[in-house]
Amino acid sequence: MITYSKNDWFPAIWHFHASPTAFSLFRRLFWVALYVTGVTFLELWVVDLRLKDTPTEFLSTMGILLSLLLLFRTNTAYDRFYEGRKAWGTLVNNSRNLAAYLNAVIPTERTEDRLFYTKMIANFAFSLENHLRNDIKSDGLEAAGIGELSELTHYDHVPNGVVAQLQVRTERLYREGLFTDAHLINLSTMLLVFLDVAGICERIKSTPIPFSYSFFIKVFILMYIFVMPFIIIDEYGYLTIPAVVAVSYILVGLELIGEEIQNPFGIERNNLPLNQIATNIRLNVHELMQFYIPHEEKQAAKSKFVIVT
Amino acid sequence: MITYSKNDWFPAIWHFHASPTAFSLFRRLFWVALYVTGVTFLELWVVDLRLKDTPTEFLSTMGILLSLLLLFRTNTAYDRFYEGRKAWGTLVNNSRNLAAYLNAVIPTERTEDRLFYTKMIANFAFSLENHLRNDIKSDGLEAAGIGELSELTHYDHVPNGVVAQLQVRTERLYREGLFTDAHLINLSTMLLVFLDVAGICERIKSTPIPFSYSFFIKVFILMYIFVMPFIIIDEYGYLTIPAVVAVSYILVGLELIGEEIQNPFGIERNNLPLNQIATNIRLNVHELMQFYIPHEEKQAAKSKFVIVT
Amino acid sequence: MITYSKNDWFPAIWHFHASPTAFSLFRRLFWVALYVTGVTFLELWVVDLRLKDTPTEFLSTMGILLSLLLLFRTNTAYDRFYEGRKAWGTLVNNSRNLAAYLNAVIPTERTEDRLFYTKMIANFAFSLENHLRNDIKSDGLEAAGIGELSELTHYDHVPNGVVAQLQVRTERLYREGLFTDAHLINLSTMLLVFLDVAGICERIKSTPIPFSYSFFIKVFILMYIFVMPFIIIDEYGYLTIPAVVAVSYILVGLELIGEEIQNPFGIERNNLPLNQIATNIRLNVHELMQFYIPHEEKQAAKSKFVIVT
Amino acid sequence: MITYSKNDWFPAIWHFHASPTAFSLFRRLFWVALYVTGVTFLELWVVDLRLKDTPTEFLSTMGILLSLLLLFRTNTAYDRFYEGRKAWGTLVNNSRNLAAYLNAVIPTERTEDRLFYTKMIANFAFSLENHLRNDIKSDGLEAAGIGELSELTHYDHVPNGVVAQLQVRTERLYREGLFTDAHLINLSTMLLVFLDVAGICERIKSTPIPFSYSFFIKVFILMYIFVMPFIIIDEYGYLTIPAVVAVSYILVGLELIGEEIQNPFGIERNNLPLNQIATNIRLNVHELMQFYIPHEEKQAAKSKFVIVT
Amino acid sequence: MITYSKNDWFPAIWHFHASPTAFSLFRRLFWVALYVTGVTFLELWVVDLRLKDTPTEFLSTMGILLSLLLLFRTNTAYDRFYEGRKAWGTLVNNSRNLAAYLNAVIPTERTEDRLFYTKMIANFAFSLENHLRNDIKSDGLEAAGIGELSELTHYDHVPNGVVAQLQVRTERLYREGLFTDAHLINLSTMLLVFLDVAGICERIKSTPIPFSYSFFIKVFILMYIFVMPFIIIDEYGYLTIPAVVAVSYILVGLELIGEEIQNPFGIERNNLPLNQIATNIRLNVHELMQFYIPHEEKQAAKSKFVIVT
């Protein structure tokens, strides 16, 4: 994600236009420019197609429908982005609440159990990040006891594995009598949240906007840009070229941003800083469970950089 | 569902225009083309109806109202699609949470009980798919004990049957003392989710957008296309034909996609991949309950193909 | 509700235009036609009001504001329709979940208790339908024991009465020891849902869109239709008459559908099929509690007819 | 609130235009009329400002942005209205559920306890109404035991006081053994809802739409009305006066309704009938707890009148 | 936050234009004015660029897309504002409910425990305010026992620390037998809400609208203002200057308000009055737990001033 302030105006412009999405945009604008230049010279020097007398009202009505569809596209893409952010926010809240609760319930002398929960809660966030971003299963995971990390990576679905181990340990401590009935009921509410968050993220990742809409909007933009030079050339002359390129910049740009935003779990510049959030969860959970992390790691978690992953 | 990436551009276009919805669209466009060709030749060669002097502003205002109605249509259709997807996402989360919980609570030596829950959780997803898509009651279901599959298919409403059997078994184990009060309270929250999901899907399937709106939008589109050639013919001449066909492609196309999307449980190309999700649930639940499925089945669940059901 | 498929096109048109709302629409269109005919002949034959030189852009801007208000109207009306449908969907889910739970918890030999819950759960749906639609208190209700039906109809608010009796019976069985603490906690969640659904439906019924908005939109439509013929007559001539009537058809039609949809509990053609849903609940609950209903009644619950209430 | 039916058309118009909001609207329209008359005569008789040649397209684009802002205003105002209505609906549901539950749990011989809850549940609704509308603390409250009413009015925040007393009594009965653990857990869910509702209503009341937006929309409307006569006078002549007044009626009217609706707890004509709802809660709770209220009071609760508070 | 009434019209205008956002707006408008004056004189006196014959329809279509994007911006900014307000509203409700519950459960003779909870609940609100606004960790916090305030400020994340101490004390009283199982289960629901609220506020603060959209809208506005004078100069002459400045006032103003509103936790004029809400929580909790605060402090909490922080 690009963290920006109102003052970082120029680096921001630079970063925007240096992103892969921007290259993809420029490539398309290049073709549009070629096309519109061709049409313009052909019209003005070679043949004079009749269409150029057309008033622009017709284009305007279709332009409004297209604008509304782009708004729909933008809204759905943004909703996914925000739903993804909300899911990770819920993960943060739940991890903190669970840590604060367990800190109160597990006596301080049971260091092994305290450490297990501390590590595993943070592991969930990192395993979910790995699951959503890449398949290197053990990135950022920390062993929470003897051998348990390798047990985790045996799972096809590592976040499932983390929750399975949390449930097994919780049940064991309940059978031991450390957790009472009331504790178990309270813990259950919190332990269910982890896989809910994982499921929401997977759903956002695997279900883009229905193909037909995505396709339709692209075809509509293409048609609009194709027709446009013929209609405005009579009044704009050579200015048709910058005009069509400018309009294309806006229409194609909106479409491309929508496509980038709708899966917010990538590592591109508009995506969510999953790694930063996961590190944050680790720091918070350690503090709440009274395990101290050396100062260097805390620093790394501050958002010093413009682009965070 | 069509799983698409940014690169699969050409096969995507092909698949789009090979779908039943596309045929339905082409059939309508054919009639529009016939109509507008007739009007155009009649106007230009035979009679000269007065309407052709009409400015397009009037058409433009009605066009905006029509655009807003199509946006409303698109939004409601998409909301149903997404609500359906969310419901199945909840089913995935709940199945996993239930499996992770039961894995911790039921001792490993009680293989029969573990297997029962494993099979029944997956059965719910498949029975719901069957219930929403067709009436072949036992597709994908697996026996979870002696005779229990035939007991299930006795039910008129098989998903109800699955939940009934889950509740009966849970109560039996509670009476036996395997589940404590706290366990039962925790399990209850999860067992209620199954029928909530089923009910949401049935509601989406049985309640389309109110007939009046669906009808009204169709009439409005019809009126718009009917009037359009008379109004633009004076300025467009023979170009009226492609212009009207292009506008019809967009208006009718949006309407048809809305109709297809609003019931997302079919097996058309824009519908949800219920079978894939159900298979996924089966794999996850088996892994969490530590029953291993041979490798072939896992492969089949990966989304290798462009169109998944 | 009109259950429609894509193929039932012609009967659908017929049913749409045979509904009370349609008659109301036609009555208004008749007055509009009379008005616009008068204005047209007056303008073209008698006096020539200056207003006819007015460009249509002004009308167009106001037309856009009116379109946005109609979209707002349509959205709020549809939201109520859908909220009502969701509430009844929740009732279905809750009735099924409660039945599946009680079936597991109450031993099969306690037939009287099982029958009581079976009848009362279904009675709630029917009593809510009666409460929302008419005041014949006992339509569709079935006695759930000796004298209990007459006890119910003593209540001013019959759905309240059903829940009161469910709570009393539940408490009695808890005091008897049939329900444990865990059972009671689980049951409580489900027993609360009934009156929540009833309250949501009553709220939708008793709170229309604020009068000012409803009134304002009507005045706006009136003003628009009143001014329209003066502005377009110069360019449209006698075609002013069909043009104004067509625009009125769309504007007034949208308003009237909004008014019909916003209270979805009536028995008009766009309303919810409460009776069908309630019958469906009865069938499901009986099946889940293992009381069999003869085949005829099941048939009646299938949606054979185009219009279901 | 104005309760209206489709037939009460004329009294409705009257009531609308007799409301304080309408007077506020008329006052503003009077100034607009004065201004536009001045401009018109000045332009047509004295000086001829150049601006009158301006095409209306420019006005039209700004008109669309203004329309969208008014839609935003209308949506947010309506959302508050509806959120307030929902909160009171939740209060109704919760009061009924609590009464139905307590009726089952508290034995009939404990009349004092039953009466206490009956009175206090209804008192909450009335105290919340007083809290939201005026500061006469004891309007509609009924003593629920010896001295308890004066205890309530000692509280700065009377609704808080009602809940505090409900919680104290509930805890006392739990300590006495009348309520078991399961009862207490079930009751807790319901007792929390009261202050949630109170908090939601206070939030709606104390947080209007951010001042900048409210201000901005007003400035925009002012600018639009100020510029409008100069632009249309050339084409409209003396008709400029009714045209500008009509447009002002619509723009200013929408703004004023938005301002009135956004705090739905007043006693104006578009506000919620809090008193009617609270009376309704009292009647329902008494019926459910089997305390009978004489017939006269029930009648008063029916919505006989057009305007209910 | 600016608390405004309909009558405070003139001070409100003054306050609006004295805010930092307004200065930022004026600075930009100054540059726009300079630019448009330059263009106007250049066009009218020096060179006559061809573009001035361009009809405004083209500008109008792009204007609509821009309007829709500004609506999207306004909606998302407002949603964050309102979500933040809702989160703090939930904090108010939860603090009151917790206080009313603890007041009933903890016997009056345990003054130390009662005081601890009273102080800590209020401390949470103040620590969250500090956390969201500045890093002076102890503003408004009150010691809730010996040494506990310094313990709190040891935490990097003070709100986490407050909840950790609340959980520890609750667990201690549960182990002592003061709280039963049922009490602990009920309390747990309330204790989880604190960090949920904190997490929501942090999410809103740390996740602005994706950079691409924010950037895109700014570029679009810039392009629009850049092109505008060339297009309207032919018809507007010297009036181009006020026209472009007025349009810029509206477009840039909307953008700037959106930017200010989207992080509602600052201390600017449109931000939420966190300090007032926190003081309100302190007063309510003290009243509910029966600790009386001297009259002066209560007065300070009333919103006497126009701008509250």
Side-chain angles (χ1 to χ4, degrees), chain B residues 110 113 169-180:
Chain B
R110 303 198 59 143
D113 286 322
R169 174 73 60 126
T170 305
E171 180 66 18
R172 199 211 293 165
L173 297 182
Y174 172 63
R175 295 278 177 203
E176 275 181 29
L178 181 70
F179 294 149
T180 65

Side-chain angles (χ1 to χ4, degrees), chain E residues 129-149:
Chain E
E129 186 208 336
N130 295 339
H131 182 67
L132 293 171
R133 281 197 171 159
N134 52 55
D135 285 325
I136 303 154
K137 283 180 171 177
S138 56
D139 259 26
L141 297 191
E142 291 183 0
I146 300 158
E148 260 136 352
L149 192 57

Side-chain angles (χ1 to χ4, degrees), chain D residues 61-101:
Chain D
T61 309
M62 283 300 108
I64 288 169
L65 182 50
L66 181 51
S67 300
L68 288 171
L69 280 176
L70 280 170
L71 185 73
F72 166 71
R73 181 82 176 95
T74 302
N75 269 326
T76 55
Y78 178 75
D79 283 355
R80 275 141 200 273
F81 172 84
Y82 208 61
E83 200 185 358
R85 183 63 188 85
K86 265 188 178 160
W88 275 80
T90 305
L91 185 60
V92 172
N93 302 350
N94 190 56
S95 301
R96 285 178 185 162
N97 267 323
L98 187 55
Y101 192 74

